[in-house]
Amino acid sequence: MDLLGEIVTALKARERVVLATIISSSGSTPLPTGSSMLICEHGMRALGTVGGGLLEAKVTREAKERFAAAGESVIKEFDLNESGSEEGMICGGNVDVLIEKIGEDALDVFSQLVALRSSGQDCVLLRRIDLSGVVSRIVLEESDERAPNLKPLRALLHELGIEPETFLQQVQRSQREEYVERLATRGVELIIQPISGIQALVICGGGHVGRSVSKVAAATGFAVTIVDDREDYATPARCPEAAATISGEWSDALSKITITRSMSIVIVTRAHQSDKEVLRLVIDTPARYIGMIGSGKKVRATFDSLRQEGVPVETLRRVHAPIGLHIGAVTAEEIAISIVAELVRHRRRFYGASFPLSEKTNRWFEDAT
């Protein structure tokens, strides 16, 4: 659900909206910080979620009051403890939710967020909320040093007595961990929310595996481009979920794509030699992720060959090969799930061991027996 786009659409139609965002949590909670639900005034429809159940009902009620009242935005704390289990709130934690009125004056800010995210660029939405509930918003873009540009904030940070370097560290931690940070000082609260750019995914190979990867990846939020050296394998008719399709000789086709550091590249061509050719073409690009299909033997042979051609070992080390998480996949569809699972893992910066979530329940069985 593209909530930012929905906000822009509503504001252009002169419709007021309320955005509910989880800005902090403790204990066991259904969704992480940054999870949002949009309540639109016309028809009082809701999009997105902050966790469902009674929590969502209470947040929706608060949002409707924002439309009716003259008051501004508000931060509400919700207790999700066991005592409310008969009403569905059994997580056992607490969440603070920013219930934020958004009017036409915010159109430029949210349009900027949509444009940056659509281009694949990460950015930060900084909200300043005072005791009366007035919210002002600033978008922090990346500077040339690949860090958020704090120039628009110098006066505000000085006013609040916040050291720019300390604030920059908080912003960078928020982006790294994809977590909302809060900073309260002098009667003002700053809410730092990272906004991740939509990742472009280039799939080199439109065969059975590439086509399946395209379907799964598009469903999980990647903007897919299919590339193949066979014209019939890179067409909108064959891959309707793809944002773009390109066919032609590998060097010519890939030259039509500007590969940025927000992109991921999956190499699943029809032959080992073309896999190697594509890898050689993209290995020196700034792509954030490069993965290649193949057996361990094939991968080692490809790496040996590229090393003899002068590709440094450290450059080869950035390639995820064989691509995918080990789930015992056999069919093209299963292999696609394995590949996209690794793409999501990389996008979420999850570097822990992968294991079945049901293992978390093992201790309960141990205690029960």
Side-chain angles (χ1 to χ4, degrees):
M1 178 62 67
D2 180 12
L3 292 189
L4 293 177
E6 292 288 345
I7 291 172
V8 170
T9 299
L11 296 181
K12 285 182 176 179
R14 300 182 181 277
E15 178 181 11
R16 292 190 304 168
V17 297
V18 169
L19 181 64
T21 305
I22 298 176
I23 57 173
S24 61
S25 62
S26 61
S28 178
T29 57
L31 290 175
T33 62
S35 300
S36 300
M37 179 174 71
L38 182 67
I39 299 91
C40 301
E41 185 177 23
H42 293 171
M44 288 297 180
R45 66 191 187 280
L47 306 168
T49 182
V50 289
L54 183 60
L55 171 61
E56 205 145 286
K58 287 187 173 184
V59 168
T60 301
R61 186 160 57 246
E62 288 285 348
K64 291 179 178 179
E65 290 180 3
R66 294 301 101 195
F67 288 126
E72 295 292 337
S73 304
V74 66
I75 296 175
K76 288 282 186 177
E77 180 180 354
F78 297 92
D79 185 2
L80 311 181
N81 59 50
E82 291 279 351
S83 62
S85 61
E86 73 276 8
E87 296 178 288
M89 299 176 72
I90 59 173
C91 292
N94 293 275
V95 295
D96 283 359
V97 180
L98 171 62
I99 302 174
E100 177 185 7
K101 289 178 66 174
I102 302 176
E104 289 182 56
D105 60 324
L107 178 58
D108 287 347
V109 165
F110 284 96
S111 295
Q112 184 182 4
L113 288 172
V114 168
L116 290 170
R117 193 194 56 170
S118 297
S119 69
Q121 183 174 335
D122 295 342
C123 58
V124 171
L125 172 59
L126 177 68
R127 298 175 177 93
R128 176 190 186 276
I129 181 167
D130 61 24
L131 295 176
S132 63
V134 175
V135 175
S136 57
R137 306 170 187 90
I138 298 174
V139 177
L140 301 181
E141 299 185 44
E142 290 185 342
S143 64
D144 293 338
E145 293 77 26
R146 296 187 178 182
N149 183 3
L150 298 187
K151 287 183 179 179
L153 284 182
R154 296 292 178 181
L156 175 61
L157 295 179
H158 178 74
E159 172 194 337
L160 298 177
I162 301 172
E163 288 294 330
E165 186 60 34
T166 301
F167 183 75
L168 178 60
Q169 291 173 1
Q170 286 187 286
V171 171
Q172 291 177 320
R173 182 170 63 245
S174 173
Q175 289 187 295
R176 184 174 60 251
E177 299 178 4
E178 294 191 355
Y179 195 85
V180 175
E181 290 275 350
R182 300 173 65 180
L183 177 61
T185 178
R186 299 184 181 179
V188 170
E189 180 157 4
L190 299 181
I191 300 171
I192 305 165
Q193 182 177 357
I195 305 293
S196 298
I198 296 176
Q199 281 194 20
L201 172 62
V202 178
I203 302 174
C204 299
H208 295 309
V209 172
R211 187 181 184 187
S212 296
V213 171
S214 177
K215 292 177 181 178
V216 179
T220 52
F222 289 90
V224 175
T225 296
I226 291 278
V227 183
D228 202 289
D229 60 347
R230 301 164 292 179
E231 185 176 352
D232 292 345
Y233 283 76
T235 66
R238 180 175 171 81
C239 301
E241 71 288 336
T245 56
I246 302 173
S247 61
E249 295 298 322
W250 291 114
S251 58
D252 293 337
L254 288 170
S255 69
K256 297 176 181 177
I257 302 172
T258 301
I259 298 175
T260 68
R261 61 191 181 86
S262 67
M263 286 185 176
S264 297
I265 300 173
V266 167
I267 303 171
V268 285
T269 76
R270 56 181 162 147
H272 296 347
Q273 189 58 37
S274 52
D275 282 348
K276 176 194 167 185
E277 179 184 353
V278 171
L279 181 58
R280 187 68 185 90
L281 289 168
V282 303
I283 199 167
D284 290 319
T285 67
R288 69 193 303 170
Y289 173 100
I290 299 173
M292 182 181 71
I293 200 169
S295 66
K297 180 178 180 181
K298 173 218 157 178
V299 168
R300 288 191 295 272
T302 300
F303 283 6
D304 284 340
S305 177
L306 289 174
R307 188 180 180 188
Q308 290 173 8
E309 293 177 15
V311 178
V313 172
E314 285 307 309
T315 300
L316 292 168
R317 199 184 298 277
R318 67 187 294 244
V319 181
H320 297 253
I323 193 173
L325 299 185
H326 184 26
I327 59 172
V330 175
T331 68
E333 293 78 12
E334 291 172 345
I335 293 169
I337 290 170
S338 165
I339 291 172
V340 176
E342 185 172 67
L343 288 170
V344 171
R345 186 176 191 262
H346 193 78
R347 180 173 67 183
R348 295 296 184 185
R349 298 179 178 90
F350 178 76
Y351 303 118
S354 297
F355 58 87
L357 293 177
S358 59
E359 287 190 10
K360 293 183 176 181
T361 314
N362 286 348
R363 185 169 181 179
W364 182 90
F365 285 106
E366 291 171 3
D367 293 341
T369 55

